[in-house]
Each structure stands twice: as C-alpha cells, then as structure tokens.
C-alpha cells in the first residue's frame, strides 16, 4: 500500500487548506484512515480519523470544530479540510492506514496504523 499526501503549503493565519491523500494498492475501502502531524522537535500526534464502515469520525481537541475529514472509496482518497488555521498548526502532516480496522469506529493510536504517507508540509504564518 502506498499513500501519497498532497495539498500542504504556506498560508496566513485564519486561512484554509485542504490536504488530500491518495492510496494505491491494498483494499482502501476496508482501511480505517487517519491524519497525524509532527512539528519540529515534537512527537507525531493524532489529528483526525475516519472509519471505513460506520461510526463517528474523531478529531484532536486542537483541531475540533476547524477541521473535517472525509473519504471517497471510489477514488481511494481521504481528505482533511482545515479552516481558521493557526501558527500552531504548522507541521508536517501524514496520512496513515489501519489495515486491521474492524470498520466500526477509529483509533487515535499511532501504533495501530500500518501504512504511512510521506507527509506534506503545512506552514501557517502569523
């Protein structure tokens, strides 16, 4: 399974970005999908996740209300729409796939994700 993240860039505080992750290989429609981010000098952290069958999406408190995760199983893509961006959102953003997901609900645990994309950089200027 290969994951290719895109859509990052430089944006002013208060702006918006839409990140996209394209998957190839494997069975995308049966993977729980997540977005994580890692700022310089910090550990990688959970941002958002979406199940492959049913259940609620999940968001980190830091992005809740400002971000929306969605997926298109026909296109093998998962997107993360981020609004009202803040300088503290600056990080490399990674998409990830949980191949062992039951399809009900999601996990926020980084260790549960099996496949990772290469990351796309988001920089928010103040």
């Amino acid at each position: 399974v290969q994951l290719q993240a895109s859509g990052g860039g430089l944006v002013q505080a208060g702006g918006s970005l839409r990140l996209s992750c394209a998957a190839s290989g494997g069975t995308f429609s049966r993977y729980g999908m997540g977005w994580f981010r890692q700022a310089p000098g910090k550990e990688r952290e959970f941002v958002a996740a979406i199940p492959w069958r049913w259940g609620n999406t999940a968001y980190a408190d830091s992005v809740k209300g400002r971000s929306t995760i969605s997926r298109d199983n026909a296109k093998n893509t998962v997107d993360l729409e981020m609004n009202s961006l803040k300088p503290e959102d600056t990080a490399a953003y990674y998409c990830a796939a949980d191949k062992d997901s039951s399809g009900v609900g999601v996990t926020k645990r980084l260790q549960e994700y099996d496949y990772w994309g290469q990351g796309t950089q988001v920089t928010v200027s103040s």
Side-chain angles (χ1 to χ4, degrees), residues 7-78:
L10 174 64
V11 62
Q12 288 188 333
S16 299
L17 278 176
R18 187 178 185 90
L19 306 183
S20 186
C21 176
S24 59
T27 311
F28 175 83
S29 61
R30 292 188 177 270
Y31 296 157
M33 296 299 297
W35 283 95
F36 292 76
R37 67 186 182 188
Q38 188 167 18
K42 295 188 176 181
E43 294 186 351
R44 192 169 297 189
E45 65 177 8
F46 171 79
V47 177
I50 187 167
W52 64 264
R53 189 162 55 174
W54 65 65
N56 293 328
T57 54
Y59 297 92
D61 289 344
S62 58
V63 304
K64 193 175 295 182
R66 301 188 293 121
S67 298
T68 303
I69 187 171
S70 60
R71 65 189 298 161
D72 186 334
N73 287 340
K75 296 181 179 179
N76 285 3
T77 58
V78 58

